[in-house]
Amino acid sequence: MIKKEMIAMLLAGGQGSRLGVLTSKVAKPAVSFGGKYRIIDFPLSNCINSGVDTVGVLTQYQPLRLNTHIGIGIPWDLDRNIGGVSVLPPYEKITNSEWYTGTANAIYQNMDYMESFNPEYILILSGDHIYKMDYEVMLDFHKEKGAECTIAVMPVPMEEAKRFGIMITDEERKITDFEEKPANPRSNLASMGIYIFNWKTLKEALLANAEQPGLDFGKHVIPYCHEKGAPLYAYEFNGYWKDVGTLQSYWEANMELIDIVPEFNLYEEYWKIYTKSEILPPQYIADSSLVEKSIIGEGSDVYGQVYSSVIGCGVTIGEGAVIKDSIIMNGAVIGPGCELNKAIVAENAIIGKNTKLGIGEEAPNETDPHIYNSGLVCVGEKSVIPEGITIGKNACVFGNTTASDYPGNCLASGKTLIKAGDEK
Amino acid sequence: MRALGIILAGGNSFRMRELSQKRAVCAMPIAGSYRSIDFALSNMSNSHIQKVAVFTQYNATSLNEHLSSSKWWDFGRKQGGLYVFTPSVTAESNFWYRGTADAIAQNLAFLKNSHEPYVVIASGDCVYKLDYNKVLEYHIEKKADITVVCKDMAPGINVDRFGTIKMNEESRIEEFEEKPVVAKSNTISCGIYVVRRRQLIEMIEKCAEEDRYDFVKDILIRYKNMKRIYGYKMQDYWSNIATVEDYFNTNMDFLKADTRDYFFKQYPDVYSKVDDLPPAKYNVGAKIKNSLIASGCIVNGTVEDSVIFKKTYIGNNCYIKNCIILNDVYIGDNTHIENCIVESRDTIRANSYHAGTDGIKIVLERNDRYVI
């Protein structure tokens, strides 16, 4: 009989609406990160580097890019005879058919998948964090403590603790209580959304709560286990871990990669991060260019100037263009003479020559002030911006725009321009 | 699947000087991210040839490492696959490959057990893109016994290390000279042949009986009046890398926009083993002009008119001009390197000076590397 000690379930179905136009066509885990990677590469690489070779990836929102990226798992060595990676979308059942209504509900609906591997432990991961972590060490901790559920936590500054789910523990790291986004936190150990469950415990908890609408780990499953008296432990993690759920944190995490010796170092031999590399050739840096304090992906052609930026694979930057503090994703084309300040340009977008992004005074975004609030200007994937346009800060553009969409060749700070009937 | 492929990758060349100490010519890194054999392998794959044998002999460690999986070139198929044949002691033979024909003779079972009607033979030390199906169609149309892919070299180029060809107006080869001291023609053989499988088996068996071992000398040249041997002229980019100068120039060709466009942007792609390296990184003080930089590099200094291969570290204040820096080289601060090829995995101490004054200098430096 097939027997896997621990299998991973990776929650990758969320939209990540706080990333605005970046997730208008792709799920958050499929968003590009760090030049050539996608966010999901980090948990997937952690899995294989930790010796977890069976991973179920739960998809729901815009799964096409994720599906093609994961394929049969070759880049992560997850193409296995037994186990490997499986993409698990919601499916119709004989009695009902429903979407994944919550994190734990998604796991519940894939009970058969987990059962087929006859596991001892289930590792629950989410596909929206940047970190390197050895799950095997966490499993050792889980076993040593005799826990039924272990929650990975990391210490955060006390003043930020109110943004997280907070665990209160005794000296043995046994969880005595927890609070979701408390006004007056009693501890600074924030949950990272990574759990190890004993399969028996998880199965029992899921079956008992099956009818709960929007079944969620943090809101229902963990409290249920706690109430029943199951030993819950907090595993403290002290490495780099970054939630990239907002435009600001996404931009920051990218910018941290270009430090001289970044805290999150991709250049270490040990603990490689794998991704599907579609573009192989080296990058070409022309005579007319200047590149400083930046990282650039394979196959890009740089004719302009690039400072403090993260550039993806297969990007073209025209002569005379000046890119500062920006993120440009795979396949984008930046025309000659463009000027980009704190811009995020998504995949395969085209920016016409002499267009300027991120110019002028900041103004709050008029449609989504809670999303576009950090002075960034965002251009959605496959969007087109014509020549000679000036675009302000906290602005966003999506769709195939033409000169007539820009009265006075200008899009002021705080404006949102979304075209072609595409909803965000 | 009308043809199977054979790639001759066993060779060594004294013309590669110190560069051949480490590896077979076919494993030489090219254009930042590739190795020489990738071009022949990708051409096979893109021509829908699914069964490919690679014959290796000379120092094949790097090559075998590169060929560790067939999936990069899409040969991991149930029908076909990638086969690597290194000489081995058998009941019939305990010889090394004594020549190209002998290499095929020692592995004749591979040909005999196949069912594809044609064989495409290519060498692994050339940089080019070619749809072998076009050659095959030409071969059938001409009712040829053997078709040799050839190319007109520009007048003035020394062709004395190639086979030179003279054809009649029907493209049938009339003269074939191997490495002539004084060439009568500037049309050279590209080392790519198409032949019917049964025909090849017959000729190879005949050769083996007579203790002849070389495909060019003992088959092409000896049979040229008896068999119908035709030339197929190749028009596009083709370059053989088997001398230091040609190797250097071929890499430098990739600094030209049209060469890059032809190989990197136009369909079909060239495939290679994926190394999972992070994007290249440029720190404050980096100054790059007209250069190719591969992934995994960290650059702090100045680089001009150069090709920098994967995982190279270039220290502060360095000046690199007109160089080829092979994989995984560490260059310490304040180093000046000009007109050089720096061998892979070298560690160059800070404050060094290397310059090729009379041609290309090959830098081999094995120093201790302090991990940063």
Side-chain angles (χ1 to χ4, degrees), chain A residues 15-226:
Chain A
Q15 179 188 353
S17 57
R18 285 173 304 157
L19 288 179
V21 285
L22 301 186
T23 53
S24 55
K25 286 280 185 185
V26 294
K28 178 157 73 166
V31 170
S32 297
F33 182 85
K36 65 184 287 193
Y37 305 97
R38 295 184 190 280
I39 296 170
I40 198 171
D41 292 334
F42 295 87
L44 281 178
S45 300
N46 286 339
C47 279
I48 197 68
N49 289 338
S50 306
V52 177
D53 67 1
T54 307
V55 185
V57 179
L58 300 128
T59 61
Q60 176 155 291
Y61 175 79
Q62 291 279 13
L64 176 62
R65 187 74 51 79
L66 267 180
N67 288 339
T68 50
H69 184 65
I70 294 169
I72 59 164
I74 287 177
W76 305 272
D77 250 350
L78 285 169
D79 51 325
R80 298 290 162 133
N81 285 340
I82 297 169
V85 64
S86 309
V87 176
L88 306 168
Y91 57 95
E92 192 177 342
K93 296 150 204 89
I94 198 151
T95 48
N96 69 327
S97 60
E98 59 171 358
W99 296 101
Y100 294 151
T101 57
T103 51
N105 176 266
I107 304 291
Y108 168 73
Q109 291 198 38
N110 286 286
M111 201 75 107
D112 291 346
Y113 172 79
M114 294 182 286
E115 200 93 76
S116 68
F117 294 104
N118 193 20
E120 289 289 319
Y121 307 100
I122 304 280
L123 171 66
I124 309 285
L125 303 169
S126 62
D128 43 12
H129 300 136
I130 306 296
Y131 64 111
K132 293 182 189 175
M133 181 172 175
D134 192 340
Y135 304 131
E136 210 174 2
V137 176
M138 181 171 167
L139 180 62
D140 289 344
F141 173 91
H142 179 85
K143 288 187 206 163
E144 182 197 313
K145 294 289 182 187
E148 288 191 24
C149 169
T150 299
I151 300 169
V153 295
M154 71 179 298
V156 294
M158 213 59 183
E159 56 271 25
E160 281 184 37
K162 55 172 141 336
R163 296 199 293 121
F164 294 92
I166 294 297
M167 303 290 145
I168 294 115
T169 67
D170 63 15
E171 326 57 279
E172 289 291 302
R173 288 279 177 241
K174 186 168 183 187
I175 296 172
T176 54
D177 203 1
F178 40 79
E179 325 175 292
E180 189 64 25
K181 301 193 172 114
N184 298 304
R186 285 185 281 153
S187 139
N188 68 338
L189 296 175
S191 166
M192 298 162 67
I194 300 166
Y195 315 106
I196 291 178
F197 281 95
N198 286 1
W199 169 230
K200 274 196 203 127
T201 309
L202 179 64
K203 191 174 167 184
E204 196 274 321
L206 291 175
L207 289 172
N209 293 289
E211 298 306 317
Q212 172 73 41
L215 187 62
D216 184 89
F217 277 103
K219 287 194 200 106
H220 310 114
V221 175
I222 308 266
Y224 172 83
C225 293
H226 187 58

Side-chain angles (χ1 to χ4, degrees), chain B residues 163-288:
Chain B
T164 61
I165 286 172
K166 246 193 169 161
M167 297 187 275
N168 67 13
E169 59 280 6
E170 300 225 296
S171 298
R172 186 164 172 178
I173 293 176
E174 289 181 326
E175 282 186 51
F176 196 124
E177 280 188 293
E178 182 67 347
K179 303 187 172 86
V181 179
V182 178
K184 290 186 202 153
S185 145
N186 68 337
T187 305
I188 60 152
S189 158
C190 296
I192 304 160
Y193 317 107
V194 173
V195 53
R196 204 155 48 79
R197 183 174 56 93
R198 289 186 185 285
Q199 173 86 68
L200 180 65
I201 293 172
E202 193 185 292
M203 290 191 297
I204 293 282
E205 276 181 333
K206 190 93 192 305
C207 260
E209 271 168 31
E210 296 169 352
D211 284 335
R212 297 176 189 273
Y213 307 122
D214 191 67
F215 189 81
V216 173
K217 217 166 65 204
D218 300 323
I219 292 181
L220 288 182
I221 295 178
R222 274 187 93 231
Y223 283 88
K224 76 173 185 297
N225 298 325
M226 186 180 138
K227 298 283 184 190
R228 293 167 59 85
I229 304 185
Y230 279 78
Y232 173 94
K233 281 245 173 98
M234 182 164 169
Q235 309 295 347
D236 294 317
Y237 187 95
W238 177 90
S239 173
N240 178 287
I241 59 150
T243 74
V244 170
E245 287 68 31
D246 284 336
Y247 175 69
F248 188 86
N249 294 333
T250 302
N251 276 294
M252 288 303 171
D253 279 344
F254 282 85
L255 293 180
K256 297 175 193 150
D258 54 338
T259 311
R260 274 202 320 281
D261 183 64
Y262 179 63
F263 282 101
F264 297 165
K265 303 270 161 77
Q266 283 178 32
Y267 182 83
D269 286 346
V270 182
Y271 313 108
S272 187
K273 186 181 171 188
V274 175
D275 269 340
D276 295 297
L277 293 167
K281 187 170 178 206
Y282 304 89
N283 289 328
V284 175
K287 211 178 267 170
I288 322 287

Side-chain angles (χ1 to χ4, degrees), chain A residues 362-379:
Chain A
E362 253 184 67
N365 187 275
E366 55 188 19
T367 52
D368 305 283
H370 58 292
I371 297 176
Y372 307 104
N373 54 10
S374 39
L376 295 159
V377 46
C378 292
V379 180

Side-chain angles (χ1 to χ4, degrees), chain A residues 34 36-37 259-260 267 269 272 274 280 282-287 289 291-296 298 301 303, chain B residues 31 33-34 71 260 264-265 272 275-282 285-286 288-293 295 311:
Chain A
K36 65 184 287 193
Y37 305 97
D259 292 341
I260 293 268
Y267 294 80
E269 217 24 49
K272 265 191 183 178
Y274 302 96
L280 286 171
Q283 54 203 265
Y284 177 71
I285 313 287
D287 255 341
S289 70
V291 180
E292 237 183 28
K293 206 173 174 240
S294 297
I295 59 175
I296 302 184
E298 283 107 339
D301 286 337
Y303 296 90
Chain B
S33 307
Y34 303 92
K71 55 186 157 194
R260 274 202 320 281
F264 297 165
K265 303 270 161 77
S272 187
D275 269 340
D276 295 297
L277 293 167
K281 187 170 178 206
Y282 304 89
I288 322 287
K289 298 279 174 208
N290 187 36
S291 296
L292 280 171
I293 315 281
S295 48
K311 259 183 97 177

